[in-house]
Amino acid sequence: MRLLHTSDWHLGRSLHRVSLLDAQAAFLDHLVDTVHARDVDAVLVAGDVYDRAVPPLAAVELFDRALHRLAAAGVPTVLISGNHDSARRLGVAAGLIDRAGIHLRTDPADCHTPLVLRDAHGDVACYGLPYLEPALVKDEFQAEKAAHEQVLTAAMERVRADLAQRPEGTRSVVLAHAFVAGGEPSDSERDIAVGGVSAVPASVFHGVDYAALGHLHGCQTLSERVRYSGSPLAYSFSEARHRKSMWLIDLGPAGEIAAERVDCPVPRPLARLRGRLDDLLADPAHTPCEQSFVEATLTDPVRPAEPMARLAARFPHTLSLLFDPDRGEEDPHATYAQRLRGRSDEQIAEDFVAHVRGGSGPDEQERAVLREAFEDVRVTADMTQAAAR
């Protein structure tokens, strides 16, 4: 049986206020084309269909069109809710659209009830475990405490109990949305830590033939049978080096796994540049980045004038501008009092200006303003003391 594993569509999300709806539509076109071209038997979507609980109408329409196309293709599609989705909203009318071959799994209490797929070699039980928020599902799973590992372990125990009652040779697939130990996170994933702990061991999926994971945005192989597909698009500059893809999984007669990465279309690559502004504008090595979405970190000791406008002249799709100025060396062990010892009020103020600017102190005109301000303060203080006497 050939399965197409994807996740973390985050429909409706933008990148630094730039809409990604067109890019998401292109990905969904690619997904449907892949289903047809590669003779896919079932599509697995491991959570975070939407980017937020109440998605914009355009994102809902995009999702609706994709479901109609998958249903028309006659290919079963299994979707679970992720931590960004509203499980209740995503699961509306699940019973009705189930008849069309679109199988929404958003109710934690029903995670042990599989969709049973069949091929020439027998049954494949496909279990959908929606995102399990520990505090909300602790009682349902009678977990000892509200923690990710405990509730996911309890859910998988129900899955294994159901699987044990099925005909011998039944193969098994689990969809889950979780942070599994060994996975590498990125900046665009929402923190799901509870009590400072978010990761669960991959061993919780022991006993199933394939675990299709969602939540982490990088495509990753934790073991032959436990994989993240990652998001189809980059949703933060921390993903600039990601190769965005889906997993094409061939599940053999005895549960053997053959996996192939299917690349997703890249509407515009991401680039992270670092250096002094003049160098970034002149360096020919950055020519390939001129049509990329750019995050630029400037290291100039003094903040340059109009840096965004100057960057945009060469890199018109610059979205993020950061400053990390080169700083001179100073004793990291010196106390604040030691650093101020022997320095006048004016010198301390000048040091503060240099610190804020990243190393460059005030010019002569600014020093004159500081001197005048301190002189006014001293005159006011002297007048106040004289009046008091």
Side-chain angles (χ1 to χ4, degrees), residues 342-360:
R343 306 186 72 76
S344 66
D345 290 342
E346 289 88 344
Q347 289 173 322
I348 292 171
E350 291 176 11
D351 288 346
F352 175 75
V353 173
H355 172 75
V356 171
R357 287 178 171 171
S360 177

Side-chain angles (χ1 to χ4, degrees), residues 44-352:
L44 312 177
V45 186
D48 281 353
V49 171
Y50 293 120
D51 189 56
R52 55 182 186 262
V54 184
L57 180 58
V60 177
E61 292 173 342
L62 192 59
F63 180 52
D64 181 63
R65 289 197 299 271
L67 294 189
H68 275 82
R69 295 171 68 188
L70 289 169
V75 176
T77 300
V78 185
L79 306 96
I80 62 172
S81 50
N83 61 300
H84 279 249
D85 298 309
S86 165
R88 294 292 297 275
R89 288 186 175 90
L90 186 63
V92 167
L96 289 174
I97 65 175
D98 192 82
R99 302 173 189 175
I102 305 298
H103 308 280
L104 288 165
R105 297 293 185 261
T106 62
D107 185 356
D110 202 34
C111 67
H112 60 288
T113 303
L115 168 68
V116 179
L117 306 172
R118 293 179 175 84
D119 64 9
H121 305 289
D123 291 351
V124 176
C126 188
Y127 300 88
L129 277 60
Y131 171 66
L132 303 176
E133 176 59 48
L136 300 180
V137 301
K138 174 180 177 292
D139 293 339
E140 166 63 34
F141 291 105
Q142 299 179 344
E144 293 183 3
K145 61 179 181 178
H148 288 286
E149 182 174 353
Q150 279 70 20
V151 297
L152 191 53
T153 296
M156 282 303 301
E157 286 174 352
R158 291 188 183 185
V159 167
R160 281 186 283 266
D162 178 84
L163 188 59
Q165 299 174 20
R166 297 193 171 271
E168 185 176 354
T170 299
R171 291 159 290 167
S172 57
V173 173
V174 167
L175 287 77
H177 196 87
F179 185 177
V180 178
E184 182 179 345
S186 59
D187 293 345
S188 56
E189 297 129 9
R190 185 178 296 166
D191 184 16
I192 60 172
V194 175
V197 178
S198 58
V200 301
S203 59
V204 299
F205 300 106
H206 176 72
V208 298
D209 293 309
Y210 185 68
L213 301 182
H215 180 58
L216 299 186
H217 288 182
C219 182
Q220 301 172 58
T221 301
L222 303 186
S223 73
E224 181 189 28
R225 300 184 182 279
V226 182
R227 300 170 188 262
Y228 281 100
S229 66
S231 60
L233 298 169
Y235 291 122
S236 72
F237 280 98
S238 66
E239 302 171 48
R241 296 184 180 274
H242 285 189
R243 173 189 164 193
K244 296 300 185 181
S245 58
M246 302 177 285
W247 283 115
L248 195 66
I249 302 294
D250 285 330
L251 187 61
E256 310 95 321
I257 294 291
E260 176 189 346
R261 288 180 73 174
V262 178
D263 290 329
C264 296
V266 180
R268 191 180 299 280
L270 271 60
R272 304 182 97 172
L273 305 181
R274 180 183 179 88
R276 299 194 176 194
L277 179 57
D278 289 342
D279 295 337
L280 296 183
L281 296 177
D283 192 342
H286 299 318
T287 299
C289 304
E290 290 178 353
Q291 295 306 312
S292 300
F293 285 133
V294 168
E295 176 191 78
T297 300
L298 301 185
T299 61
D300 300 70
V302 179
R303 185 173 298 211
E306 300 183 340
M308 181 59 92
R310 294 170 64 188
L311 277 168
R314 183 180 186 188
F315 307 105
H317 304 286
T318 301
L319 301 185
S320 176
L321 179 59
L322 307 173
F323 293 91
D324 186 16
D326 295 328
R327 300 183 183 276
E329 295 183 2
E330 61 181 31
D331 182 1
H333 303 294
T335 66
Y336 181 69
Q338 289 171 333
R339 293 197 297 271
L340 298 186
R341 186 172 299 147
R343 306 186 72 76
S344 66
D345 290 342
E346 289 88 344
Q347 289 173 322
I348 292 171
E350 291 176 11
D351 288 346
F352 175 75

Side-chain angles (χ1 to χ4, degrees), residues 9-15 18-21 24 51-52 56 59 84 187-190 217 235-236:
W9 295 353
H10 289 278
L11 300 181
R13 187 161 187 157
S14 60
L15 179 66
V18 172
S19 173
L20 296 176
L21 273 174
Q24 290 171 335
D51 189 56
R52 55 182 186 262
H84 279 249
D187 293 345
S188 56
E189 297 129 9
R190 185 178 296 166
H217 288 182
Y235 291 122
S236 72

